[in-house]
Amino acid sequence: MIREFAAGFGTLVRGFGLWRTHPRLLALGLIPAAISFLVLAAALIPLGFSLGGITAWLTPFADGWISGWRDALRIALGIVVFIAAAVLSGLVFTALTLTIGDPFYQRIWREVERSLGGEEPTGETGFWSTVGEGLRLILLGALVALLTLVLGFIPFVGGVLATVVGVLLSGRLLARELTGRAFDARGLDHDARLRLLGAGRARVLGFGVATQLCFMVPLGAVITMPAAVAGSTMLARALTDRAVVDGSADLTGEGTTHA
């Protein structure tokens, strides 16, 4: 399991490798990523400046505490609130970027498919399907952010627990969303995708966690997004090929290159 988890990290690293071999292609992916980043930054920056007021509003019971304990509680809670916001923003960023940048990212994943060899999948993702998947990702992201916030209230371990759970769950959602284009091209339905993702659970999680951690670095999301699209295409190919070899998944649908 650890080896597979590490392989997921390695898949994102391979995606970054395309910056060396196809810099112009990946540079196209920076455009929608930068637009999405600016939109989200406009929301996160005011949130950062408002954390003091937010934490005071959430903890009125601490008004009568000794100042040291009160400040420690509110600082810790402020960190948790910001982590929850960062988790949600990473998922919103992905949904928004993939929607507005679909033509750019289609070029990236198709080039990756060609570089991997074999017959190139011919299916495409419709615009409204992309929008629907994006809205679903945002909704699930809101639930993850809420869970992260609730966990943050657990005494002593809340901050660490909220961070770990938030990164793991959001990473899983990111991996599922990013591999969607490659699976669409193969004509795979929802059940087939779940079987593939489940069979490669550790690798999928490793890829998603690596991507989420990069997204949490300032400006990391912008640089990482094109590489994540490339890496997710490699991940989808690896999962599909392994399922065919092992006979562990029923891959059906028009547009699939693996029978």
Side-chain angles (χ1 to χ4, degrees):
M1 180 176 179
I2 295 177
R3 183 177 180 180
E4 280 290 291
F5 187 84
F9 268 73
T11 302
L12 180 61
V13 173
R14 290 175 60 199
F16 273 111
L18 264 71
W19 276 110
R20 178 175 55 84
T21 58
H22 298 79
R24 292 184 179 180
L25 180 64
L26 262 66
L28 288 175
L30 294 177
I31 299 172
I35 294 173
S36 299
F37 176 81
L38 291 175
V39 171
L40 290 175
L44 282 178
I45 291 175
L47 174 65
F49 284 111
S50 303
L51 280 178
I54 293 173
T55 55
W57 177 76
L58 289 173
T59 57
F61 56 85
D63 288 341
W65 290 12
I66 298 174
S67 60
W69 287 107
R70 181 182 64 242
D71 293 344
L73 171 66
R74 289 176 174 172
I75 289 173
L77 182 58
I79 293 173
V80 171
V81 169
F82 196 79
I83 289 173
V87 167
L88 177 59
S89 66
L91 297 173
V92 173
F93 170 83
T94 301
L96 181 60
T97 304
L98 289 177
T99 299
I100 65 178
D102 188 57
F104 300 98
Y105 297 125
Q106 280 202 36
R107 292 184 60 180
I108 292 175
W109 73 255
R110 289 192 184 281
E111 179 59 34
V112 172
E113 288 284 3
R114 284 191 287 268
S115 69
L116 292 174
E119 185 179 353
E120 181 184 342
T122 58
E124 293 186 0
T125 302
F127 173 76
W128 291 112
S129 176
T130 300
V131 172
E133 284 295 319
L135 292 175
R136 177 183 179 277
L137 180 64
I138 292 173
L139 177 60
L140 292 175
L143 294 176
V144 171
L146 180 60
L147 175 61
T148 301
L149 186 60
V150 171
L151 291 176
F153 282 96
I154 298 176
F156 305 112
V157 299
V160 174
L161 182 62
T163 302
V164 172
V165 171
V167 170
L168 289 176
L169 292 180
S170 61
R172 171 74 178 180
L173 291 175
L174 278 176
R176 183 189 183 282
E177 180 69 15
L178 287 166
T179 53
R181 274 70 186 165
F183 287 152
D184 282 340
R186 289 169 168 78
L188 300 181
D189 61 22
H190 179 72
D191 291 340
R193 298 181 195 202
L194 289 181
R195 286 193 292 271
L196 286 173
L197 294 172
R201 185 177 294 105
R203 182 175 298 198
V204 170
L205 185 60
F207 173 80
V209 167
T211 303
Q212 177 63 31
L213 291 175
C214 288
F215 278 9
M216 296 177 75
V217 176
L219 294 178
V222 177
I223 302 298
T224 302
M225 192 63 189
V229 171
S232 66
T233 306
M234 300 173 189
L235 176 62
R237 170 68 76 90
L239 294 176
T240 306
D241 287 348
R242 183 167 64 179
V244 171
V245 172
D246 295 344
S248 59
D250 178 22
L251 305 180
T252 59
E254 294 181 3
T256 181
T257 60
H258 305 282

